[in-house]
Amino acid sequence: MDPSEVEFIAEKEVVQIIPNFSLDKIYLIGGDLGPFNPGLPVSVPVWLALNLKQRQKCSIVPPEWMDIDKLEEMRELERKEDAFTPVPSPYYMELTKLLLNHSSDNIPKADEIRTLVKDIWDTRIAKLRLSADSFINQQEAHAKLDNLTLMEINTIRAFLLDSLNCMYKLRSNLQPGSTKGQFSDY
Amino acid sequence: MSDGLSEDGSDINQEDEDVMTPAELIAKLEEAWLNEKFSPELLENKSEVVECVMEQLTHMEANLQRVKKGDAKASIHRMEIDRIRYVLSSYLRSRLQKIEKYFPHVLEKEKSREMGDASLLSPEEFAFAKEYYANTETYLKAMALKRMPPNLQTIDMLKAVPEPCLDSFVFLRVKERQENILVEPETDDQREYVVDLEEGSQHLMRYRTIAPLVSTGAVQLI
């Protein structure tokens, strides 16, 4: 899957915005939104929030977890634990990127948040590489991947799955008398 | 459903003719989209969902025709329509890609299907697969086979085109708790074992083991 598609899915997440215009309730196919009143916070999906922001029709309230203290705590925990720690949002990386790129003026200490989230991401990806390595070394057939986000899975998907398939083909060809050995490729 | 027809949809929100709300319908479409994207084989068709979504989209577009230009709401509605349309076409496209890749096996499976079983292909996809098969065969004959020695002029498409590899690994998220899923060993000196799949947990395992759970909707491929 393309990373932009993961971002597309993340854009369905809901954020709070403070509009500067007024508009009645909108009845979208995916649910109702609004009504919008100037100065009153309202929840909308990220794709709409970003669009309104680009047209300077609202300011975005950053999600609660997008906060220096909370993220620092998370980074320490992530570095200390061997396993993956729970993330504040299943789309933390995508949302950070989207919100910081389009709406950094509404987010206090945007640069520090960017660095912190990048640190957390790097730590997690390093862990992911390590566990993928041991998964292959031990020739496991099942792994539990709790707390991994879609974007993280997506970064190793193509490489890991293709390698596993390749190894499977090689191995099943080695085993004598195996019926599964008849793999043909183009 | 009976009184839904009395007025001709003066309100956009009045389309709940099914038990499913439009929002649930969109969620169903997104589920089907991701499952289709990540499963190695072609899944059952969801033409009901596709048709309902199409209906929603045309209805909404018809409503938007009546709105004058520059309306703030209309642009938001259009954005939503574009997003849904993207998911829909990406879903249908990934199905067509699989049909093109595995067409003899897809048709074979469709042929051997019992009466009353859910059909793998929608009528349109079935027509596409048959046509693709015929075209490929004609092309191969015209370009190569007729110049071969007589004993080599036939081709068995089922053997010529590789089957989908059901032993591929997939990532999945569990939606309904499952017990005692048998995990087959990778090598001969390992032993098979069972795992329980807790609701909400995520796993990496072979598609073959959990294929039935994908079609019942108990797990979601990610």
Side-chain angles (χ1 to χ4, degrees), chain A residues 28-179:
Chain A
L28 290 181
I29 300 177
D32 306 346
L33 290 181
F36 299 86
N37 288 308
L40 284 182
V42 55
S43 297
V44 296
V46 170
W47 56 266
L48 182 58
L50 293 180
N51 179 275
L52 292 173
K53 175 75 193 170
Q54 276 164 357
R55 295 191 284 154
Q56 294 170 2
K57 282 179 178 285
C58 76
S59 58
I60 298 178
V61 184
E64 221 171 84
W65 52 266
M66 214 176 265
D67 169 83
I68 301 249
D69 293 340
K70 288 197 178 120
L71 287 173
E72 252 165 14
E73 212 173 281
M74 233 195 100
R75 181 177 66 178
E76 293 321 308
L77 192 66
E78 191 68 62
R79 284 182 176 162
K80 212 165 60 192
E81 297 273 327
D82 283 333
F84 295 95
T85 58
V87 281
S89 154
Y91 304 103
Y92 75 99
M93 191 62 190
E94 301 90 305
L95 289 181
T96 311
K97 190 170 164 262
L98 287 169
L99 295 184
L100 288 182
N101 281 358
H102 295 101
S103 165
S104 51
D105 52 331
N106 296 144
I107 300 168
K109 303 193 178 161
D111 284 338
E112 284 163 64
I113 289 178
R114 204 190 291 269
T115 323
L116 277 169
V117 172
K118 182 81 170 65
D119 282 350
I120 294 172
W121 169 265
D122 286 344
T123 318
R124 291 173 67 90
I125 292 297
K127 280 185 197 173
L128 189 56
R129 293 217 179 96
L130 271 182
S131 48
D133 184 54
S134 71
F135 181 80
I136 287 184
N137 268 332
Q138 293 168 17
Q139 307 198 331
E140 287 287 346
H142 166 258
K144 205 155 176 260
L145 301 164
D146 286 353
N147 295 331
L148 268 184
T149 68
L150 191 53
M151 194 59 124
E152 287 158 353
I153 289 176
N154 207 46
T155 50
I156 58 154
R157 184 197 312 277
F159 180 63
L160 182 63
L161 297 190
D162 285 354
S163 338
L164 286 170
N165 278 345
C166 251
M167 284 175 18
Y168 179 73
K169 280 184 195 177
L170 292 172
R171 203 154 42 222
S172 52
N173 275 326
L174 277 179
Q175 278 167 16
S178 124
T179 47

Side-chain angles (χ1 to χ4, degrees), chain A residues 5 8 11-12 25 27-30 47 138-143 145-146 148 157 165 168 171 184, chain B residues 22 30 37 73 77 79-80 83 86 162 167-168 171 184 186-187 190 201-204 206 222:
Chain A
E5 283 177 306
F8 175 86
E11 281 170 358
K12 280 190 324 187
K25 218 168 171 175
Y27 301 98
L28 290 181
I29 300 177
W47 56 266
Q138 293 168 17
Q139 307 198 331
E140 287 287 346
H142 166 258
L145 301 164
D146 286 353
L148 268 184
R157 184 197 312 277
N165 278 345
Y168 179 73
R171 203 154 42 222
S184 48
Chain B
E30 280 167 358
K37 247 181 145 48
K73 277 187 179 180
H77 279 297
M79 272 200 288
E80 195 201 22
R83 286 178 63 88
Y86 171 77
D167 286 302
S168 315
F171 293 98
E184 282 181 29
E186 283 291 285
T187 51
Q190 284 172 343
S201 61
Q202 304 182 133
H203 303 264
L204 168 65
R206 292 202 182 285
I222 51 171

Side-chain angles (χ1 to χ4, degrees), chain B residues 61-216:
Chain B
E61 269 166 359
N63 278 336
L64 286 177
Q65 289 291 319
R66 282 188 261 128
V67 179
K68 57 181 185 300
K69 273 207 169 137
D71 189 279
K73 277 187 179 180
S75 73
I76 296 177
H77 279 297
R78 280 221 179 82
M79 272 200 288
E80 195 201 22
I81 289 178
D82 287 345
R83 286 178 63 88
I84 296 173
R85 202 171 276 280
Y86 171 77
V87 174
L88 188 65
S89 45
S90 173
Y91 168 65
L92 293 175
R93 208 178 303 126
S94 68
R95 286 184 65 84
L96 287 180
Q97 273 165 359
K98 281 189 205 169
I99 294 175
E100 285 184 5
K101 203 167 171 196
Y102 304 121
F103 60 98
H105 307 284
V106 169
L107 285 171
E108 188 62 26
K109 214 169 167 184
E110 188 75 8
K111 230 186 279 169
S112 61
R113 168 170 67 93
E114 303 274 321
M115 279 294 282
D117 271 6
S119 152
L120 198 63
L121 300 165
S122 72
E124 295 84 0
E125 286 167 341
F126 184 58
F128 174 80
K130 272 202 304 199
E131 205 174 312
Y132 192 83
Y133 189 103
N135 288 345
T136 316
E137 210 172 27
T138 327
Y139 173 71
L140 286 176
K141 276 199 181 117
M143 293 310 289
L145 287 177
K146 69 174 185 195
R147 293 177 178 78
M148 295 282 187
N151 59 334
L152 293 176
Q153 283 194 354
T154 53
I155 181 166
D156 184 354
M157 288 288 202
L158 274 173
K159 282 187 189 142
V161 177
E163 270 183 88
C165 176
L166 299 186
D167 286 302
S168 315
F169 274 91
V170 288
F171 293 98
L172 59 108
R173 182 183 305 122
V174 185
K175 287 163 71 186
E176 291 159 27
R177 190 186 139 82
Q178 302 293 324
E179 279 173 9
N180 298 333
I181 302 293
L182 190 73
V183 178
E184 282 181 29
E186 283 291 285
T187 51
D188 287 343
D189 44 305
Q190 284 172 343
R191 262 201 273 144
E192 59 181 28
Y193 58 99
V194 294
V195 287
D196 291 344
L197 305 182
E198 300 291 339
E199 192 181 322
S201 61
Q202 304 182 133
H203 303 264
L204 168 65
M205 57 203 298
R206 292 202 182 285
Y207 177 73
R208 196 187 287 279
T209 348
I210 48 97
L213 300 177
V214 174
S215 52
T216 59

